[in-house]
Amino acid sequence: MTTGSVHSWDIATAVDGPGTRFVLFLSGCPLRCLYCHNPDTWHMRDGHRMTVDEVMDEVAKYRRFIEVAGGGLTISGGEPLLQPDFTAEVLHRAKQLGLHTALDTSGFLGGRASGELLDDTDLVLLDIKSWDPVTYRHVTGGEVTPTLEFARRLSALRKPMWIRFVLVPGHTDAVDNVEGIASFVSTLDAVERVEVLPFHKLGAPKYAALGIPFPLADVPSPDAELVRRVRSQFAGCGVPVH
């Protein structure tokens, strides 16, 4: 029986895919983004073990409500592709229930997503954290190439995508960095929207509770002018911005 390390689950509207959704947050992530607002999801050992049956029992409680609200099931994290077998089975079971499915991922472990997993995924929420390789490594501790390769793979499959970009003043906001992402995204098929997400500090109390310094404690949220500039850069490349 397949089990996974689960951090939590929630019912959310219009933030993790269309409609009202059952959002399953898995534990474990290979990246350490400076702006991460869920440091409590970094380690698989900190989650609690659940079988797929147990997860689906929870989903079933809200199935009718989710269907009426035009929603579905989203698997987030952490990084769901750190647990590809568990993620794949939950998505498959959700599809058997007739639910719309979404995968929220950085794409860093995109190579672990099987064809079957993607067949059972209706929408990918793909977080492209930066374009410039040096900036990407500074912000995440990882490499950008796997995410770009995964995006191209999804494009070839014409898999619907929502691209997410977190705008952090002084870190991800360089004109060339944004232009690189916007130009790249404009070459992909099936991108339904780009979400420019302004950096915030809502996760700061979690760092304090864990006794971990918050790396961006002194960084302000982007002002309206910066947000407009970045949105206009995406729009200027013909990308739908939300």
Side-chain angles (χ1 to χ4, degrees):
M1 184 175 298
T2 305
T3 64
S5 179
V6 174
H7 174 269
S8 59
W9 58 266
D10 199 2
I11 301 296
T13 300
V15 292
D16 293 295
T20 299
R21 310 187 69 80
F22 184 101
V23 185
L24 182 69
F25 298 94
L26 303 189
S27 292
C29 184
L31 301 180
R32 291 295 179 267
C33 299
L34 296 179
Y35 52 75
C36 179
H37 59 273
N38 289 316
D40 48 335
T41 67
W42 285 349
H43 304 291
M44 287 181 62
R45 64 176 180 267
D46 294 333
H48 58 279
R49 303 302 300 184
M50 291 185 71
T51 66
V52 174
D53 284 345
E54 288 171 333
V55 170
M56 299 315 297
D57 285 345
E58 293 296 331
V59 174
K61 297 175 184 178
Y62 300 92
R63 177 183 176 186
R64 180 58 181 160
F65 173 68
I66 291 170
E67 289 175 332
V68 171
L73 176 142
T74 298
I75 303 186
S76 186
E79 172 52 65
L81 294 179
L82 195 60
Q83 303 181 62
D85 294 341
F86 183 73
T87 294
E89 190 165 341
V90 172
L91 291 169
H92 185 67
R93 293 279 294 276
K95 290 303 295 179
Q96 288 181 325
L97 291 179
L99 295 177
H100 179 276
T101 57
L103 175 69
D104 183 5
T105 177
S106 71
F108 183 70
L109 298 178
R112 297 190 181 188
S114 67
E116 292 78 11
L117 184 155
L118 293 179
D119 285 344
D120 287 321
T121 303
D122 294 312
L123 172 69
V124 177
L125 310 174
L126 183 62
D127 189 358
I128 302 182
K129 300 170 187 292
S130 277
W131 173 257
D132 175 65
V134 174
T135 301
Y136 194 95
R137 174 167 283 282
H138 166 69
V139 171
T140 72
E143 304 293 333
V144 68
T145 300
T147 294
L148 303 182
E149 291 176 346
F150 187 54
R152 294 187 186 100
R153 179 184 172 195
L154 296 173
S155 178
L157 294 171
R158 300 193 63 82
K159 183 66 62 176
M161 286 179 270
W162 290 7
I163 304 297
R164 291 173 157 180
F165 170 66
V166 179
L167 175 59
V168 186
H171 292 268
T172 67
D173 60 339
V175 172
D176 289 348
N177 188 47
V178 176
E179 197 68 27
I181 298 175
S183 296
F184 173 72
V185 171
S186 72
T187 69
L188 303 175
D189 289 326
V191 172
E192 297 182 344
R193 64 200 285 179
V194 170
E195 297 180 333
V196 177
L197 306 176
F199 163 71
H200 61 72
K201 301 181 185 179
L202 297 179
K206 294 183 179 180
Y207 285 83
L210 293 170
I212 303 172
F214 182 39
L216 302 184
D218 297 327
V219 175
S221 296
D223 59 29
E225 182 179 352
L226 178 56
V227 174
R228 281 195 297 270
R229 190 213 86 197
V230 170
R231 288 173 58 87
S232 69
Q233 284 187 263
F234 280 102
C237 288
V239 175
V241 186
H242 288 255

